[in-house]
Amino acid sequence: MDADIALFEKVKKGNIASFEKIFEKYYLQLCGYCNKFVRDHETAQEIVSDVFAYIWSKRREINLKSNLRSYLFRSVKNLSLTKLRSSKIPSEELNESILNSLRETEGADHNILYTEFSARLEEIIKQMPKQRQLVFRMSRLEGLSYNEIAIAMSISPRTVQNHMVEAVKYMSSYRQDLMNLITTVALLCISLVIAYY
């Protein structure tokens, strides 16, 4: 069996050490490849980190039809192109727009839903180590780049990246719990968009 495939089979069973070996083997190669599309080293690092975070969260569902290296490079390429296509509408602005719509929507049910989701997310985040909490909040909730977080916290960008990888691993264990709430929120957002148009 191919060495990478053997490692990935262990990853599918939740073996973090095997995941980290794959990460260390391909991270720099993938960043260099990604940079050819996005022309920005920091953005490339974030995209590659997001790909690895996705792979960890979906590890049990991924069935490789080719070798792991091809899968990783294809995933990075696809996400890079998606980011480039959507770059005119920054994700943090879109997220804020959705949250504002939820906050402003009339009706006690909507307010309860938003409050419930926010409270559950906060409860989960607070179980992480303090520094990891802060990194996660600044990246995912405030939309700061890894470099901006590193400067603000006086740590290296690599440390920020490591915190985010660990945070996503941790958050993925609550994926079903959050997905139940997110599905309801998403349906509400769709209803808001339909009502708007």
Side-chain angles (χ1 to χ4, degrees):
M1 181 184 289
D2 178 89
D4 283 347
I5 296 296
L7 275 176
F8 192 72
E9 286 301 313
K10 293 179 181 179
V11 170
K12 292 182 74 168
K13 296 176 182 178
N15 188 300
I16 295 176
S18 296
F19 177 77
E20 290 174 346
K21 285 181 182 178
I22 293 172
F23 181 91
E24 290 170 3
K25 180 177 180 179
Y26 287 108
Y27 177 77
L28 291 178
Q29 296 178 49
L30 291 169
C31 284
Y33 178 67
C34 183
N35 193 53
K36 294 179 180 179
F37 297 99
V38 299
R39 304 294 181 183
D40 182 79
H41 291 292
E42 190 173 329
T43 300
Q45 289 173 0
E46 293 184 13
I47 288 174
V48 173
S49 294
D50 284 346
V51 166
F52 275 105
Y54 173 83
I55 289 172
W56 176 259
S57 67
K58 297 287 187 179
R59 62 191 182 279
R60 294 184 183 88
E61 303 165 28
I62 295 174
N63 293 310
L64 296 178
K65 295 181 180 179
S66 59
N67 61 56
L68 178 62
R69 185 179 188 280
S70 296
Y71 178 84
L72 289 170
F73 277 81
R74 186 170 63 252
S75 297
V76 167
K77 178 182 177 180
N78 291 341
L79 185 55
S80 298
L81 296 177
T82 298
K83 292 278 189 182
L84 289 172
R85 283 194 295 267
S86 62
S87 61
K88 293 181 180 179
I89 307 176
S91 59
E92 59 268 20
E93 291 181 15
L94 182 59
N95 290 340
E96 187 61 28
S97 175
I98 291 172
L99 291 176
N100 285 337
S101 295
L102 285 171
R103 294 187 189 105
E104 294 167 4
T105 300
E106 295 181 354
D109 289 343
H110 295 160
N111 292 331
I112 290 171
L113 175 61
Y114 175 78
T115 301
E116 181 182 352
F117 176 78
S118 298
R120 182 59 182 142
L121 182 60
E122 182 67 19
E123 180 183 325
I124 292 171
I125 292 173
K126 280 186 174 179
Q127 294 180 50
M128 289 190 283
K130 294 292 185 183
Q131 191 174 51
R132 190 165 301 154
Q133 281 185 47
L134 185 55
V135 168
F136 183 83
R137 291 178 195 280
M138 294 173 79
S139 174
R140 290 297 187 257
L141 304 183
E142 298 176 24
L144 297 182
S145 69
Y146 286 7
N147 198 45
E148 289 171 329
I149 296 170
I151 292 171
M153 296 181 64
S154 299
I155 57 179
S156 71
R158 185 60 184 266
T159 299
V160 172
Q161 174 193 303
N162 290 341
H163 274 303
M164 283 304 301
V165 169
E166 293 302 319
V168 171
K169 287 180 191 175
Y170 166 75
M171 294 295 287
S172 69
S173 66
Y174 290 91
R175 184 160 57 99
Q176 190 57 53
D177 188 8
L178 289 172
M179 281 302 296
N180 291 336
L181 287 169
I182 289 172
T183 299
T184 308
V185 171
L187 290 173
L188 175 58
C189 290
I190 290 170
S191 70
L192 289 173
V193 171
I194 292 173
Y196 178 78
Y197 286 102

